[in-house]
Amino acid sequence: MAEHTKDFVDVPGGYLYYEQHGRGPDVVLLGGGLADLRMWDSTVDWLAERARVTTWDYRDTGLSAPAYGPYSEIDDLTAVLDAAGVSQAVLVGVSEGGRRALGFAHRHPERVTHVCAVAPSFGEFPDPSPEEAAAREVMRRHFADCEKVLAADGIPAVAALDVDAWCPAAPQNARRLLIGLQIANARMRLMTEYYGLELDPPIKTRFTELEPPISVLIGHRDFQATQLWAQRLTAQTPNATLTTIPTADHMPMFSTPPEFRDYVLATLPT
């Protein structure tokens, strides 16, 4: 019978909720910024048959504590791994989770066997090319539209707008799930200040220093800026490969599940 653990771990200024499913090589899943570990339920269903899978809620999401002061994103992940008994793992991070996974891999390469960076998001480009600058302008217009809809119509409306922009290929029930998660984790959107501290200097300026193997995944139906970040990450990282799925969007675990499954399973130890 597969093992299943649900628990909390204390961290400075709060606590974090995590779950662990299955047996085998360790895989840790890091989700998008406005979701929580429930976004991984369909992934855990098949991945826990091959691996011991750890999922967790960032501060300000899910069942983890709200943040009222600065904290280290990397130390939070370290605390979860230590509490869950994970000494070394494949890290699978989507969107903001890709950035967090890469930051951890830079700080603690000895604890990472592989990073799956799925549609990783890093914000503004340092020294952008004209193409990158134009793509980020499209992103800024989307963020401005979200602010207008939030002010006029509230959280449910902006959640639907945001999900439809990032995940145009998501099937109906996945769309409903992602909208619901954004509504449930609306604190993240409404916060006037984000307290999480990433690697300093940030990982987006330090791709050349990454040691573990990196598998980058991007979909052609994602924002152009995210696609360009994936290309930049792959070009600058010493041991990186890029997989492109034409029909995938920002969340390929929902838009193209079979291809996402093949991509993740290829990184597990044989």
Side-chain angles (χ1 to χ4, degrees):
M1 181 176 175
E3 297 179 0
H4 182 194
T5 300
K6 298 180 179 181
D7 208 348
F8 293 88
V9 55
D10 291 329
V11 290
Y15 53 86
L16 303 169
Y17 176 71
Y18 72 92
E19 296 186 5
Q20 196 169 68
H21 305 258
R23 298 175 181 171
D26 279 302
V27 179
V28 179
L29 306 180
L30 295 90
L34 288 171
D36 56 48
L37 60 74
R38 290 174 292 179
M39 71 161 286
W40 294 113
D41 286 351
S42 60
T43 300
V44 171
D45 285 345
W46 55 263
L47 187 54
E49 297 177 357
R50 297 279 300 273
R52 186 170 69 161
V53 185
T54 302
T55 58
W56 62 295
D57 289 332
Y58 306 147
R59 298 198 203 205
D60 301 304
T61 70
L63 298 181
S64 289
Y68 296 103
Y71 66 91
S72 166
E73 294 177 342
I74 293 174
D75 289 351
D76 274 10
L77 177 51
T78 303
V80 170
L81 296 187
D82 291 346
V86 177
S87 59
Q88 204 176 46
V90 174
L91 303 183
V92 181
V94 62
S95 191
E96 179 189 328
R99 174 186 62 76
R100 289 176 181 245
L102 292 167
F104 183 89
H106 185 285
R107 173 87 51 89
H108 299 292
E110 75 286 353
R111 301 194 69 169
V112 179
T113 59
H114 206 109
V115 177
C116 295
V118 183
S121 297
F122 305 97
E124 297 295 331
F125 291 92
D127 301 316
S129 68
E131 185 180 20
E132 290 170 340
R136 278 303 296 179
E137 181 57 32
V138 172
M139 294 293 307
R140 285 190 288 272
R141 287 199 296 270
H142 170 66
F143 298 145
D145 289 343
C146 285
E147 289 300 314
K148 292 176 183 176
V149 171
L150 175 62
D153 302 309
I155 287 292
V158 73
L161 172 69
D162 201 33
V163 168
D164 287 345
W166 288 99
C167 302
Q172 184 182 68
N173 283 349
R175 176 182 180 272
R176 291 168 172 169
L177 170 66
L178 291 168
I179 291 172
L181 292 178
Q182 284 212 16
I183 294 170
N185 295 294
R187 173 180 167 83
M188 287 289 290
R189 187 182 293 280
L190 298 175
M191 290 171 64
T192 58
E193 181 177 358
Y194 174 68
Y195 291 110
L197 303 176
E198 62 174 320
L199 196 68
D200 184 21
I203 190 60
K204 68 182 180 181
T205 67
R206 306 172 75 173
F207 293 155
T208 60
E209 302 169 10
L210 285 164
E211 297 178 17
I214 313 294
S215 296
V216 186
L217 179 66
I218 194 67
H220 272 323
R221 298 195 65 183
D222 202 343
F223 277 102
Q224 181 69 10
T226 313
Q227 298 183 52
L228 293 173
W229 265 121
Q231 293 169 21
R232 182 185 276 225
L233 170 62
T234 307
Q236 294 183 2
T237 304
N239 188 10
T241 59
L242 176 63
T243 299
T244 301
I245 303 175
T247 54
D249 55 27
H250 198 63
M251 296 284 181
M253 66 288 299
F254 299 117
S255 56
T256 54
E259 291 86 349
F260 177 72
R261 175 181 174 132
D262 290 346
Y263 159 79
V264 173
L265 291 180
T267 69
L268 298 186
T270 56

